[in-house]
């Protein structure tokens, strides 16, 4: 656990030190759970967004984009169910005065059981060596089965109690499991209460005429209310999708864990409109497609898993999360929901307008069903960043800090380094920068010994260092160093563009899907 915490602290401090993420309003002591993306962070975030957009919109003939406004008519949130049901069960510890999400306290307890299972697996793997069969061990070891059974029973009961709004039972569960406040260590809890997560604001100049608005808690509703506009103007036929990226706002009760849970964050959502009755097949299709997209980034298959929901949101008939192994354990990265016709029907009812599709083949109109994929851009950022940050032992006994970002996402693709600051080398290096900057984000660095510059670029996640030396003046060749392997190659300046392109182009990476 301590090791995990240290790793996470390292992630946060590295993100600050290398210009990726800053606390918002830092000089005023910060604003809780709000963050700013710095010079490198903004590039990484933009690249993740583009990687998603390309895979969704550009690669699919039947998916188009949208950028709807953050402000929307307040009736939308009534129709969507957010006014009445978008709340979290909260509980306070009377001694520490700290507020928690009751469901998260219970889930964290189950998470500890999962960690125990992982420990058993590690121990057994060591004991049995090559003969170890993980799946057999998981399905037969009595201790593992005991933990699993206990965890499943707890989650089932939690799901059922939340479904029935039986908050007293959620409290009873916390008491039975003897869950203590992580801060005070006490079990002196208040009752569990519901808390609405939407931020309210006002539109209009005078108090009397002002209209109460909400900052959108998800981008999805902007898609639903534009469904017919897009379908008609784009002459879209079912099945088709609308994709959107943008800010969402939630007044999260427990906002810790850095950019994992923020009050202002960005979502990348795609709503796929389908014929009623086909939702089972499409649910399966998008589960697979989205997992393939994640795996294409090469962060390791073992770091992902599906978590199918017991408790469905009010709009869904099937739901799963793609969970990622963050530095604090497996947590939701993306949600895939079969939303039925809940949203479009509700908007029909509340707006009085028809939101239907005329199916020429069947010669009838219907309200389409919807399959949603929804991934948090900030959580993607954290997944990529935390997984990439590594301390590596080198052969000479030293260590290096290296940020092994997927090259396609790295903020800077190459650093151009003159070996020394004289003899015409800076001029040649500058000329290379001038040529490459049309195609890639590149940087020039002449300060310090070249070894230190390599380390700086390693820690910054730059996939290539290109060094100009005295031989360059005669043979038009440079040394290109690969961040991950530290291998160095002598290549012609004219070859640089092709070499970098091959490694960083979205095409190369997306074709792995
Ligand atoms: P959680 O259970 O973690 O609160 P959720 O199930 O409420 O998440 P959804 O409403 O399904 O989340 O939103 C889709 C995605 O948006 C999530 O998978 C997550 O990546 C992202 N997301 C949701 N809330 C936040 C937040 N407060 N900060 C950052 N990202 C978020």
């Amino acid at each position: 656990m301590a090791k995990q915490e240290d790793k996470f602290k390292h992630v946060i401090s590295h993100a600050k030190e290398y210009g990726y993420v800053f606390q918002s309003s830092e000089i005023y002591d910060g604003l809780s759970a709000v963050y700013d993306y710095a010079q490198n962070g903004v590039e990484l975030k933009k690249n993740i967004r583009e990687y998603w957009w390309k895979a969704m919109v550009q690669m699919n003939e039947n998916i188009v984009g949208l950028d709807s406004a953050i402000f929307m008519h307040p009736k939308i949130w009534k129709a969507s169910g957010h006014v009445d049901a978008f709340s979290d069960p909260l509980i306070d510890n009377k001694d520490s005065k700290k507020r928690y999400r009751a469901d998260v306290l219970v889930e964290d307890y189950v998470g500890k059981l999962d960690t125990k299972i992982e420990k058993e697996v590690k121990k057994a793997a060591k004991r049995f060596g090559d003969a170890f069969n993980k799946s057999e061990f998981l399905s037969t070891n009595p201790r593992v089965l005991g933990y699993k059974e206990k965890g499943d029973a707890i989650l089932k009961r939690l799901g059922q109690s939340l479904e029935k709004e039986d908050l007293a039972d959620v409290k009873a569960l916390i008491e039975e499991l003897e869950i203590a406040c992580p801060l005070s260590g006490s079990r002196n809890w208040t009752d569990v209460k519901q808390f609405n997560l939407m931020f309210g604001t006002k539109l209009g100049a005078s108090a009397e005429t002002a209209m109460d608005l909400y900052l959108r808690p998800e981008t999805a509703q902007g898609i639903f209310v534009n469904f017919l506009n897009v379908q008609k103007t784009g002459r879209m036929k079912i099945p088709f999708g609308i994709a959107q990226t943008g800010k969402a706002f939630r007044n999260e009760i427990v906002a810790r864990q850095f950019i994992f849970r923020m009050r202002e964050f960005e979502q990348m959502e795609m709503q796929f409109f389908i014929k009623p009755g086909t939702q089972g097949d499409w649910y399966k299709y998008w589960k697979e497609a989205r997992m393939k997209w994640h795996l294409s980034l090469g962060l390791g298959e073992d770091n992902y898993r599906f978590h199918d929901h017991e408790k469905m949101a009010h709009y869904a008939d099937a739901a799963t999360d793609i969970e990622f192994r963050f530095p604090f354990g497996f947590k939701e990265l993306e949600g895939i929901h079969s939303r039925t016709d809940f949203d479009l029907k509700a908007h029909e009812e509340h707006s009085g307008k028809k939101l239907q599709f005329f199916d020429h083949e069947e010669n009838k109109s219907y309200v389409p069903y919807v399959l949603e994929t929804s991934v948090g851009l900030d959580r993607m950022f954290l997944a990529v960043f935390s997984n990439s940050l590594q301390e590596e032992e080198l052969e000479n006994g030293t260590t290096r800090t290296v940020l092994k970002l997927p090259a396609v996402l790295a903020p800077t693709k190459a650093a151009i380094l003159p070996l020394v600051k004289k003899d015409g080398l800076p001029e040649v290096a500058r000329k290379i920068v001038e040529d490459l900057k049309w195609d890639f984000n590149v940087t020039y660095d002449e300060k310090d010994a070249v070894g230190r510059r390599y380390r700086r670029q390693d820690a910054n996640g730059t996939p290539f260092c290109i060094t100009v030396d005295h031989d360059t003046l005669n043979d038009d060749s440079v040394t290109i160093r690969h961040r991950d392997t530290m291998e160095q190659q002598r290549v012609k300046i004219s070859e640089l563009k092709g070499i970098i392109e091959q490694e960083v182009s979205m095409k190369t990476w997306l074709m792995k899907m």
Side-chain angles (χ1 to χ4, degrees):
M1 193 65 192
K3 231 169 141 196
Q4 269 190 355
E5 269 168 30
D6 287 349
K7 159 95 201 206
F8 192 34
K9 275 191 195 146
H10 185 206
V11 166
I12 298 170
S13 63
H14 196 87
K16 178 170 179 197
E17 193 182 337
Y18 284 86
Y20 277 84
V21 183
F22 299 150
Q23 172 75 61
S24 156
S25 323
E26 194 189 79
I27 61 168
Y28 290 94
D29 298 331
L31 188 63
S32 154
V34 187
Y35 291 89
D36 298 337
Y37 286 88
Q39 66 277 15
N40 285 316
V42 70
E43 296 287 341
L44 174 55
K45 197 174 165 197
K46 184 187 71 165
N47 292 342
I48 298 173
R49 192 191 293 112
E50 199 184 328
Y51 194 66
W52 181 86
W53 191 266
K54 257 214 163 105
M56 281 297 187
V57 180
Q58 193 169 325
M59 301 309 294
N60 289 295
E61 214 177 309
N62 61 348
I63 300 182
V64 292
L66 178 77
D67 183 13
S68 69
I70 288 173
F71 289 144
M72 290 193 273
H73 198 286
K75 277 193 190 164
I76 286 174
W77 304 111
K78 185 75 188 155
S80 68
H82 283 81
V83 171
D84 298 319
F86 191 56
S87 48
D88 277 340
L90 68 85
I91 189 164
D92 292 292
N93 183 270
K94 290 184 195 161
D95 298 315
S96 67
K97 310 272 183 271
K98 271 274 167 199
R99 180 158 281 188
Y100 297 92
R101 260 176 67 177
D103 54 336
V104 172
L105 282 179
V106 176
E107 281 163 9
D108 283 352
Y109 180 93
V110 175
K112 284 185 192 143
L113 296 176
D114 286 341
T115 312
K116 283 185 183 166
I117 293 177
E118 275 179 33
K119 272 194 191 143
E120 293 289 339
V121 170
K122 265 199 196 133
K123 256 193 336 204
K126 217 168 162 189
R127 191 158 12 109
F128 294 118
D130 286 345
F132 182 60
N133 179 334
K134 186 173 168 186
S135 58
E136 191 186 321
F137 180 78
L138 284 174
S139 59
T140 54
N141 179 276
R143 214 169 304 159
V144 167
L145 290 176
Y147 290 140
K148 176 111 185 51
E149 205 175 300
K150 185 171 177 193
D152 288 349
I154 292 170
L155 288 181
K156 188 158 184 215
R157 176 162 158 205
L158 176 71
Q160 284 169 345
S161 309
L162 289 173
E163 183 83 49
K164 287 186 295 194
E165 290 270 322
D166 185 353
L167 300 182
D169 191 56
V170 177
K171 183 178 181 187
L173 186 57
I174 288 172
E175 284 174 340
E176 281 166 37
L177 297 173
E178 301 189 342
I179 295 175
C181 165
L183 212 70
S184 66
S186 100
R187 300 189 195 118
N188 194 7
W189 297 109
T190 61
D191 286 342
V192 180
K193 283 176 292 212
Q194 289 290 8
F195 174 80
N196 194 294
L197 301 180
M198 282 197 294
F199 283 105
T201 185
K202 289 197 184 293
L203 179 136
S206 74
E208 303 84 66
T209 58
M211 186 184 205
D212 285 317
L213 289 190
Y214 295 105
L215 295 185
R216 68 179 178 198
E218 61 174 30
T219 55
Q221 298 303 324
I223 296 180
F224 294 130
V225 297
N226 278 299
F227 153 74
L228 212 52
N229 281 339
V230 173
Q231 190 269 318
K232 290 230 158 92
T233 57
R235 294 188 299 140
M236 308 301 290
K237 283 198 184 66
I238 287 220
F240 76 93
I242 304 178
Q244 155 152 267
T245 69
K247 286 276 172 101
F249 304 83
R250 296 181 187 178
N251 196 2
E252 298 279 4
I253 304 165
V254 187
R256 26 185 180 91
Q257 296 170 320
F258 193 40
I259 55 172
F260 179 81
R261 192 173 295 288
M262 302 157 90
R263 297 205 162 102
E264 174 180 341
F265 59 99
E266 192 163 335
Q267 290 185 310
M268 306 191 286
E269 297 200 303
M270 195 280 297
Q271 311 292 331
F272 200 66
F273 299 91
I274 55 177
K275 203 161 145 181
T278 62
Q279 67 269 31
D281 290 341
W282 283 113
Y283 178 65
K284 234 169 82 191
Y285 173 86
W286 280 110
K287 260 179 93 164
E288 264 174 45
R290 292 305 302 145
M291 187 56 105
K292 276 193 196 151
W293 180 83
H294 285 286
L295 294 179
S296 73
L297 287 171
L299 304 185
E301 215 166 313
D302 283 357
N303 290 321
Y304 299 87
R305 69 182 188 195
F306 284 111
H307 170 230
D308 296 331
H309 284 214
E310 284 277 335
K311 176 197 178 236
M312 243 47 97
H314 56 275
Y315 49 74
D317 75 353
T320 193
D321 295 337
I322 294 179
E323 294 188 335
F324 184 78
R325 195 197 300 268
F326 287 98
F328 36 84
F330 271 103
K331 294 272 178 204
E332 173 176 346
L333 174 61
E334 168 154 5
I336 296 164
H337 309 121
S338 170
R339 292 183 79 125
T340 69
D341 55 3
F342 174 88
D343 301 271
L344 292 181
K345 273 216 169 120
H347 287 307
E348 275 198 330
E349 234 170 73
H350 283 76
S351 68
K353 311 274 178 357
K354 278 214 170 326
L355 293 175
Q356 302 192 356
F357 172 77
F358 184 74
D359 191 326
H360 284 279
E361 273 163 29
E362 301 215 353
N363 203 26
K364 68 170 189 196
S365 294
Y366 56 80
V367 177
Y369 268 38
V370 173
L371 216 290
E372 163 182 84
T373 72
S374 174
V375 54
L377 177 49
D378 313 87
R379 284 194 193 173
M380 266 308 292
F381 185 110
L382 182 59
V384 168
F385 190 88
S386 61
N387 188 271
S388 303
L389 184 59
Q390 296 174 20
E391 291 290 320
E392 239 178 35
E393 302 252 345
L394 301 180
E395 279 171 13
N396 64 7
T398 59
T399 57
R400 69 162 181 160
T401 301
V402 51
L403 191 60
K404 291 187 170 175
L405 296 173
V408 63
L409 303 180
T412 306
K413 305 304 186 196
I416 326 298
L417 324 170
L419 190 63
V420 290
K421 260 192 275 181
K422 54 182 186 184
D423 305 337
L425 303 191
E427 287 74 10
V428 177
R430 289 263 182 218
K431 168 86 177 41
I432 296 176
V433 169
E434 287 305 308
D435 286 345
L436 291 179
K437 76 179 189 190
W438 293 91
D439 296 293
F440 315 107
N441 253 348
V442 292
T443 187
Y444 173 85
D445 189 4
E446 60 173 22
K447 204 168 168 292
D448 301 319
V450 79
R452 285 192 62 180
R453 281 181 268 167
Y454 284 158
R455 289 289 181 277
R456 193 150 62 224
Q457 295 302 332
D458 284 347
N460 209 33
T462 310
F464 296 108
C465 283
I466 294 160
T467 306
V468 173
D469 57 24
H470 290 95
D471 288 343
T472 309
L473 302 177
N474 303 318
D475 63 5
D476 278 335
S477 295
V478 287
T479 302
I480 183 162
R481 174 185 177 272
H482 298 253
R483 176 198 65 197
D484 297 349
T485 57
M486 297 195 290
E487 265 170 23
Q488 303 193 5
Q489 241 179 310
R490 196 74 191 168
V491 303
K492 290 277 177 211
I493 291 175
S494 57
E495 293 173 294
L496 286 172
K497 185 181 163 197
I499 295 172
I500 301 171
E501 177 77 35
Q502 173 58 26
E503 195 93 356
V504 310
S505 91
M506 296 226 168
K507 182 174 176 187
T508 306
W509 290 75
L510 285 171
M511 280 180 67
K512 294 183 204 158
M513 272 177 69

